[in-house]
Amino acid sequence: MKQPTLGNPQNTIAVLQKYNFVFQKKFGQNFLIDTHVLDKIIRAAQITEEDCVLEIGPGIGTMTQYLACAARRVIAVEIDRALIPILEDTLDGYENVRVINEDVLKVDIAKLAEEENGGRPIKVVANLPYYITTPIIMGLFEKHVPVKSITVMVQKEVADRMQTGPGSKDYGALSLAVQYYADPYIVANVPPNCFMPRPKVGSAVIRLDLHEEPPVKVKDEKLMFRLIRASFNQRRKTLANGLKNSPELDFTKEEIEEAILSLGKGPSIRGEALTLAEFAALADRLS
Ligand code: SAM
């Protein structure tokens, strides 16, 4: 296997110039130009020679080269057609890579895992396009795609929201959703100068290890997430008011108050004070 040639500013610029590549802001294109960060991501993802890896948004193929050296198989899904001839060039000689020119949100990833890994769990590794971080991650969770872990570069603020618990200003629907499906762990903070062009925000690499079993049992998972959304949509309201005002829910004032009371909570409690286990218990009372 060829050693990676990309990952530093000079070689990245050479590839971009060779193809007169124009960055597309709408695709969240910020390419990694720091080999230390790339090594750190690959190490954090704990890729082995048996692994099948899905890379979302390979760009010019920088991380793809690193992944190809570590994994058995790499599937890279890239939306920007202008990058496909570049990837053919930069990934020449990396025989274990398959590039798919598609919008990742439209790809049937479970089918890919079946074709490429016999249905066994794959690992997802990516420097994500920030404008669709949440739909990508929630899509992987909710469609119950066979995934072992997700190691991704995201906006620093989003990584914080994924990892935090009750009592923090960052705690919200994303924290609860991520923690229901996975164990989050922030691997590294990454400053803007590690990318070309530089993003306006700080970034972080986060690893999400998917649970084999959810950490809490709930009779109606969908209802629990409706309750979570309702309580954080109106963050400054009490939990009872948030649930009463939600167009997604249809419970009476009495039903809601009784359920909250049965958790041992007072009427002025806010949703942001509840743990995942308490939201699950609330859903069970109301279901
Ligand atoms: N992996 C490269 C790197 O680290 O240098 C590029 C990362 S860049 C932050 C995000 C990449 O995702 C871009 O190549 C962009 O074109 C691609 N992308 C954006 N939206 C996408 C989508 N819906 N489906 C697939 N790829 C997408």
Side-chain angles (χ1 to χ4, degrees):
M1 183 75 63
K2 271 166 70 172
Q3 281 308 299
T5 53
L6 296 170
N8 60 55
Q10 302 83 295
N11 293 3
T12 302
I13 291 169
V15 170
L16 298 176
Q17 284 180 345
K18 179 172 171 193
Y19 289 90
N20 285 323
F21 180 74
V22 180
F23 285 100
Q24 300 265 7
K25 221 173 170 183
K26 66 173 179 191
F27 290 144
Q29 293 175 337
N30 300 95
F31 297 163
L32 266 169
I33 49 165
D34 188 305
T35 52
H36 299 296
V37 175
L38 286 152
D39 283 333
K40 212 175 250 183
I41 296 174
I42 303 296
R43 262 202 317 274
Q46 297 180 349
I47 313 282
T48 72
E49 283 168 4
E50 273 104 65
D51 283 329
C52 175
V53 175
L54 168 69
E55 187 191 3
I56 297 163
I60 61 166
T62 306
M63 194 150 74
T64 327
Q65 292 186 341
Y66 285 71
L67 290 168
C69 291
R72 176 182 62 76
R73 184 80 166 134
V74 180
I75 317 296
V77 180
E78 173 56 60
I79 196 169
D80 187 352
R81 203 184 311 155
L83 287 165
I84 303 305
I86 302 183
L87 287 165
E88 272 165 22
D89 182 357
T90 58
L91 298 176
D92 185 33
Y94 295 89
E95 305 298 334
N96 56 349
V97 179
R98 172 177 165 196
V99 174
I100 300 175
N101 182 202
E102 257 290 6
D103 176 349
V104 73
L105 296 176
K106 295 190 184 141
V107 172
D108 184 344
I109 297 169
K111 190 163 151 242
L112 263 186
E114 186 59 51
E115 283 168 17
E116 298 284 352
N117 209 31
R120 288 185 307 280
I122 57 171
K123 289 182 180 167
V124 176
V125 185
N127 170 16
L128 284 179
Y130 294 171
Y131 74 108
I132 44 169
T133 300
T134 305
I136 290 176
I137 293 182
M138 291 313 296
L140 291 169
F141 288 152
E142 286 169 354
K143 288 181 198 147
H144 296 281
V145 178
V147 171
K148 190 161 174 45
S149 63
I150 302 173
T151 307
V152 279
M153 181 84 73
V154 296
Q155 232 175 290
K156 164 88 177 86
E157 184 205 316
V158 175
D160 289 340
R161 274 174 24 215
M162 289 181 184
Q163 208 193 19
T164 197
S168 146
K169 67 168 178 33
D170 293 325
Y171 185 58
L174 183 66
S175 330
L176 284 154
V178 164
Q179 291 163 31
Y180 180 68
Y181 292 107
D183 252 336
Y185 165 68
I186 293 182
V187 174
N189 290 325
V190 183
N193 62 4
C194 296
F195 302 85
M196 185 184 292
R198 292 180 185 197
K200 291 201 179 71
V201 291
S203 303
V205 179
I206 190 163
R207 196 180 80 208
L208 310 174
D209 288 322
L210 274 81
H211 298 305
E212 278 175 21
E213 292 290 329
V216 298
K217 288 230 175 318
V218 59
K219 284 186 220 145
D220 185 344
E221 201 176 284
K222 288 209 172 88
L223 172 62
M224 179 178 75
F225 282 113
R226 285 209 301 276
L227 295 172
I228 290 173
R229 274 196 300 274
S231 36
F232 288 99
N233 273 348
Q234 299 191 309
R235 235 193 142 93
R236 271 187 247 124
K237 292 223 157 74
T238 62
L239 175 63
N241 279 336
L243 302 187
K244 253 182 294 178
N245 296 341
S246 167
E248 274 198 286
L249 298 168
D250 189 21
F251 298 109
T252 65
K253 186 170 174 269
E254 289 71 33
E255 283 168 336
I256 291 170
E257 285 174 358
E258 216 176 282
I260 293 174
L261 212 69
S262 76
L263 295 180
K265 304 286 177 191
S268 61
I269 189 90
R270 289 174 199 274
E272 63 199 23
L274 260 54
T275 62
L276 178 60
E278 286 167 337
F279 273 110
L282 187 66
D284 281 352
R285 308 273 178 196
L286 288 167
S287 70

